[in-house]
Amino acid sequence: MSNYKMETKCIQSGYTPKNGEPRVLPIYQSTTFKYEDSDAMGRLFDLEDSGYFYTRLQNPTNDAVAAKICDMEGGVAAMLTSSGQAANFYAIMNIAEAGDHIVCSSAVYGGTYNLYAHTIRKMGISATFIDPDCSEEELDAAFQENTKAVVGETIANPALTVLDIEKFAKAAHAHGVPLIIDNTFATPINCRPFEWGADIVTHSTTKYMDGHASCVGGCIVDSGNFDWDAHAEKFPGLTTPDMTYHGLVYTERFGKGAFITKATAQMMRDLGSIQAPQNAFLLNIGLETLHLRMPRHCENALKAAEYLKNHEKVAWVSCPMLEGDKYYDLAQKYMPNGTCGVITFGVRGGREACVKMMDSLKMIAIVTHVADARSCVLHPASHTHRQMNEQELIEAGVQPDLIRFSVGIENIDDIISDLEQALEQV
Ligand SMILES: *Cc1c(COP(=O)(O)O)cnc(C)c1O
């Protein structure tokens, strides 16, 4: 980890050119890398030397950007993935296998819910979903003998519940398993989950990190704090020989780098969801201004939330930065400088009124996206979460009249005028 302040990390971390090298991180647009002799190449395949050989596993552009995000989060190692979904999939598959179990907050992104409730179940890994506001006793009761990880989102998309990271970390560690936090909405600008006890952080870099809605991507960062060897019987993949690399043991050979090395050497080798170097390059440009954009997103979101809260046609508003919000205190604790630009609200008159309001917006677009520079809206019950029944929607913290409003960094007066004219149409 560098000693730079966050603003400097956003710009300088990950890539330091040497004499005569490009000032800007180059795109290594190459599937493969050349070596002088066959023995040098062989050592790479045995993980004896570190180096690049094939972009399905690693690429220098990606690694520089991953190193920047790693520095921003305060971790020891990181990797980019092709999407946030791939990051959340790999984070689990790297430590769990058929017969295992995870504990997951019920307030998570719809795609994550599908992945953990349905897709990994078909691979033999079951999940218990738990209300993030549960008591310590209830959380404790969710664990099983075969539990391998606890998962939650710093600020849930779209429920906007703020996770009590310390409570979840304490429970995870009492049961000898890591806490994995999806920090997509907060970004390391507003929250660094490792400082509160999380062990692994994942990101959909598609959102604020890219920030311009130009490329899908993900990232996994390891804090290096979880002691896999102390719970060796639970994590044989990391602590016993990997026959595909001549019996190498990840924790023995790579120490704090074990988790990310295994995810690269096994998951990427076999499943291959690597981020394109072009996308990593664009992501890096986004990261350079993340520290400028996040405060403006938060400022605009709070003003929009205050406006909506005082509007007679608006039934309710949820924004953890609003005093009186259910998650205000947790947000103040974990994100005192602001949460994110996403807020939610309901229009009086239910589903129909919500759709009418959204269809009347002129600047604010209806898109299946969130957390970029442009303001946008989405109705989860008709869009991202339409596969869920009413009960599942409510468990995921998504009321049927919920509009997810991703407040951009346009001038707030223009954002509010658009809301105003659209609410007049209802
Ligand atoms: C969007 C999102 C994901 C999935 O990321 P993709 O990049 O779309 O695959 C995961 N977690 C959260 C919190 C998200 O908002």
Side-chain angles (χ1 to χ4, degrees), residues 83-85 88 109 112 153 157 182 184-185 204 206-207 216-217:
S83 65
Q85 286 297 106
N88 283 329
Y109 173 64
T112 305
E153 292 176 8
N157 174 9
D182 181 332
T184 298
F185 268 18
S204 166
T206 316
K207 313 296 165 54
V216 173

Side-chain angles (χ1 to χ4, degrees), residues 52-276:
Y52 297 96
F53 50 106
Y54 191 50
T55 290
R56 186 186 345 110
L57 285 86
Q58 269 185 302
N59 175 284
T61 307
N62 293 27
D63 281 359
V65 182
K68 174 178 282 187
I69 297 172
C70 185
D71 200 28
M72 291 165 67
E73 287 286 5
V76 297
M79 68 198 286
L80 297 189
T81 55
S82 57
S83 65
Q85 286 297 106
N88 283 329
F89 179 54
Y90 282 17
I92 296 300
M93 295 310 285
N94 205 32
I95 48 174
E97 56 189 49
D100 287 343
H101 169 260
I102 62 168
V103 174
C104 185
S105 161
S106 59
V108 285
Y109 173 64
T112 305
Y113 176 82
N114 278 340
L115 173 65
Y116 293 162
H118 303 294
T119 298
I120 67 168
R121 182 175 292 275
K122 291 180 193 151
M123 300 171 180
I125 301 168
S126 60
T128 297
F129 290 90
I130 179 130
D131 181 346
D133 301 329
C134 65
S135 68
E136 289 190 18
E137 293 69 33
E138 286 164 327
L139 183 52
D140 207 55
F143 286 81
Q144 304 177 3
E145 275 299 297
N146 55 348
T147 302
K148 296 298 167 76
V150 180
V151 192
E153 292 176 8
T154 315
I155 313 169
N157 174 9
L160 301 184
T161 52
V162 175
L163 195 78
D164 188 345
I165 302 174
E166 282 189 317
K167 177 178 82 180
F168 273 70
K170 188 176 156 203
H173 297 158
H175 291 271
V177 302
L179 174 63
I180 301 173
I181 294 288
D182 181 332
N183 198 31
T184 298
F185 268 18
T187 82
I189 302 298
N190 286 338
C191 182
R192 279 168 301 285
F194 296 155
E195 293 172 1
W196 303 100
D199 302 286
I200 309 281
V201 158
T202 60
H203 282 282
S204 166
T205 62
T206 316
K207 313 296 165 54
Y208 289 117
M209 283 189 165
D210 165 13
H212 302 81
S214 60
C215 42
V216 173
C219 184
I220 309 175
V221 190
D222 181 10
S223 67
N225 292 335
F226 192 82
D227 188 348
W228 307 104
D229 283 323
H231 307 283
E233 74 294 344
K234 280 192 202 289
F235 304 105
L238 284 157
T239 60
T240 63
D242 179 353
M243 285 316 168
T244 68
Y245 290 105
H246 307 303
L248 158 161
V249 176
Y250 289 97
T251 51
E252 258 173 30
R253 178 78 72 81
F254 301 104
K256 287 189 183 296
F259 185 88
I260 293 294
T261 304
K262 177 176 180 289
T264 301
Q266 276 184 355
M267 300 277 118
M268 277 302 177
R269 178 195 61 190
D270 300 346
L271 303 170
S273 312
I274 192 127
Q275 189 165 131

